[in-house]
Structures are given as C-alpha cells and as structure tokens.
Amino acid sequence: MTDTAAEPRLTSLAHGGGCGCKLAPSVLREILSEMPVGGGHADLIVDAATSDDAAVYRVSDEAAVAATTDFFMPIVDDPYDFGRIAATNAISDLYAMGAAPIFALALVGMPIGQLSTGTIRKILAGGRDVAEAAGAPIAGGHSIDSTEPIYGLVALGLVHPDRILMNSGARDGDVLILGKPLGIGIFSAALKKGLLPEADYRAMIDSTTRLNTPGAALAGMAGVHAVTDVTGFGLLGHLSEMCRGSGLAATVGADSVPVFEGARRLASDGVRTGASGRNWESIAGMVDAPGLDAPARDLLCDPQTSGGLLVACDPAQADKIMALFNEHGHENAAVIGRMQAGSPAIAVR
C-alpha cells in the first residue's frame, strides 16, 4: 500500500493507545504471582521483584547495564509523533534508573495492507530521531505483520553500580517531586473523540516527547533516595509501588500536583480513560482520599504516556533538584508530597 490519503487514522486501528494499553496492576500481579524473578544471580542487581523501571546487571565494579523495553499502540494519529512518543517513553525507564542511554532496538508490529510503507517509515523515523537525541542509536530490531500498529524499543544504558536509582529507596521525611504535569491519558481520550483543542494537542506532544534527562544527573546527587517514572498506572499507582518497595506511607497534596489545565477542564466535562478506573481499583484499598471527587481521582489515576519522573529526596536537596528539572526544560516540576513512616499507604489531602 502506498496511498497515504486512503489510510485510516492510526488511533482508529487500535483498541487502546499509549501506556493506557498496559494490563491493570491487579491483573499483572495475578499473572506474575507464580512466576519466579531473576533472583540467585549475584550480578543481577535489579530484577522484577520491586516492580522497578528496568533490570540492571553488573558487568564490572565500575559499570552496570540497565535494560528495559516498552511498546504500545498509537496515542496520536501523526505517525512521526507516534514514533517520537513511543521512543521517549521507552528511554524514560533508563533515566528513571539513573542510567545514560547507549543504544536501542526497535520493536515493530504493523498492519501491512492498511498502512503504507511511507507511514510506517515516518513512525520509525520519529523513534530514530528521539533515540539519536538521547545518545542511543537504534542498532536493529524486529518486525511483524500485526492487526494493530505497535511500536516501541528495547533500550539499554550504563550506570555505576553504586549510583543506581530504584523505586524502593525512599526514606522517612523525603519530599516527593513530580517532573511533568498529569493529564496525557485524558488528552488521548479526547483526541479519539475529536474533542481535543489544538493548543492542548501541542502541549501533549511537547510533554510526551520531552526526554527525562534529569534522571542521569540525579544518579550522582546526594540526597536522592528513590526515583520512578509515572506512566500507565498513573501517579497513585506508581507511588504505591514506591511505598511498598520502601516500606513507607506517603501524603500527597492534591492541589500541589501539576495538571494540564486543559486536562482538568476535560476531566470536569467527563472525559476519562478506562484505564484510570482500573488503576483506581488496583490501589483503592491503600488510598485514603476523603472528599476527592471523580474528576480529581481520574487525574491522579490517569495513565501517563512518557510521563514525568517521581523523585523522593532529602528536603534539604529539593531546591537543587527543582533547579535541575528547570535546567532540563521541565518547568512544571513541583513538590507534591512527602514520605513518612507507616505501613504502605497513600493519603491525599
């Protein structure tokens, strides 16, 4: 197929889009409940046991390899932007571990016969350009003929074994910093319904293609105790993993969480994703949120595609870390809460 004018919209070919495609956390836990993780290998420093963002394998006293993979169906209709978003999202997992990206492999599944080779080429070009900007050239990959368009990366990076950032190291008294606003899932849902204004679309593209480069610098900073990136499970879902991994409770100030104004308006008008409801059901038992209305709950559980880093750090370092985010163009970063002693739970106030 070569006629792009006759092609369907990318999002019309997929039952879901972006990180909203992820399995619900409760379903994933059930599937993996009897699956062994990689324990027993001394040089496998990080495996799936703490639901972290990447696996890490020590290759020497000075170097470890971080490896991750992420792929999904289209969140937007522009093929180049779809490729950029998918690559940015995959590489984010490396930054969340404090790793510097080194190279990547492409994962490509396309409905041949429905999409032209030109459109597929644009998707791959978007991914290539982001990977090159991150210093991680795409060295190869694998492709299949699939019923829905799928694109993503296997991404690899390097990190010092003593500077790995995990989601399980938060300490009592740490403040929580979120690097990007919430609302990408709601924007995506509005786009599929033809309800997303152009200005909100541009804000969505700017956020989802902005690399989480502060992560590599955070690995060498004193007082940074835990990091993850907020993606398909929403802010509360990924914070719950940090709480469980660290054995701590968290308090979040609902009014302190950065949210796209357009997403807030759309949520108030009833626009939401199915994934936000599944995300809430998976963590509702550990969340105390009196007075939280449905739109606010949907935003806190909204599945983020290529979302921001969530950092738990010493309060004395918060200003320095906020300055780092700003230097890297993450101007909406904000302090949103605090970790404290207690059984793993989240209070939203």
Side-chain angles (χ1 to χ4, degrees):
M1 181 178 181
T2 58
D3 183 9
T4 58
E7 291 180 24
R9 293 172 59 192
L10 284 179
T11 54
S12 73
L13 296 173
H15 74 281
C19 287
C21 301
K22 291 177 74 168
L23 296 178
S26 58
V27 173
L28 185 59
R29 283 196 294 270
E30 181 180 352
I31 292 171
L32 299 178
S33 61
E34 298 180 8
M35 297 287 289
V37 293
H41 298 271
D43 288 320
L44 185 59
I45 306 171
V46 182
D47 59 20
T50 55
S51 301
D52 235 307
D53 296 292
V56 184
Y57 190 90
R58 181 185 6 246
V59 294
S60 73
D61 290 341
E62 300 296 322
V65 174
T68 185
T69 185
D70 216 312
F71 53 89
F72 45 63
M73 282 82 83
I75 187 174
V76 294
D77 292 312
D78 183 277
Y80 183 72
D81 283 343
F82 170 40
R84 293 168 67 207
I85 293 167
T88 306
N89 180 75
I91 293 169
S92 178
D93 285 339
L94 297 179
Y95 289 126
M97 304 299 294
I102 52 172
F103 78 95
L105 303 172
L107 301 173
V108 182
M110 294 292 154
I112 304 302
Q114 295 192 70
L115 294 180
S116 68
T117 55
T119 292
I120 298 170
R121 191 178 300 116
K122 289 177 182 178
I123 294 171
L124 272 59
R128 176 203 62 207
D129 288 352
V130 162
E132 291 283 351
I138 296 176
H142 184 66
S143 60
I144 62 170
D145 185 354
S146 64
T147 57
E148 296 181 282
I150 298 169
Y151 180 70
L153 300 178
V154 175
L156 296 100
L158 291 177
V159 61
H160 193 285
D162 297 332
R163 296 177 182 172
I164 299 167
L165 301 174
M166 297 176 63
N167 65 5
S168 55
R171 300 180 186 178
D172 180 15
D174 278 353
V175 296
L176 293 167
I177 296 174
L178 179 62
K180 292 183 183 181
L182 303 181
I184 297 300
I186 288 171
F187 278 166
S188 176
L191 178 66
K192 292 194 75 167
K193 296 177 180 179
L195 300 175
L196 189 66
E198 178 63 23
D200 290 334
Y201 178 78
R202 296 320 314 171
M204 173 186 177
I205 297 301
D206 180 68
S207 180
T208 54
T209 59
R210 186 176 298 279
L211 288 162
N212 279 325
T213 49
L218 289 170
M221 292 180 64
V224 177
H225 299 141
V227 178
T228 189
D229 64 342
V230 177
T231 54
F233 299 155
L235 172 62
L236 295 185
H238 289 283
L239 178 55
S240 74
E241 292 178 336
M242 186 177 287
C243 289
R244 284 192 289 265
S246 303
L248 295 171
T251 297
V252 172
D255 293 337
S256 301
V257 177
V259 174
F260 289 106
E261 284 305 315
R264 197 186 302 276
R265 182 188 66 254
L266 288 163
S268 296
D269 290 342
V271 178
R272 66 195 300 262
T273 72
S276 65
R278 296 194 299 272
N279 286 343
W280 172 252
E281 291 170 3
S282 294
I283 49 91
M286 63 181 295
V287 178
D288 178 29
L292 192 69
D293 61 20
R297 186 185 68 194
D298 286 342
L299 284 163
L300 293 176
C301 295
D302 189 49
Q304 302 306 286
T305 299
S306 191
L309 296 179
L310 179 64
V311 181
C313 67
D314 187 318
Q317 297 297 315
D319 288 345
K320 187 175 181 180
I321 292 168
M322 287 290 293
L324 174 68
F325 273 103
N326 277 272
E327 289 168 10
H328 285 251
H330 293 252
E331 299 172 352
N332 293 302
V335 175
I336 66 166
R338 184 177 295 269
M339 304 294 291
Q340 65 258 354
S343 299
I346 302 171
V348 181
R349 299 290 183 256

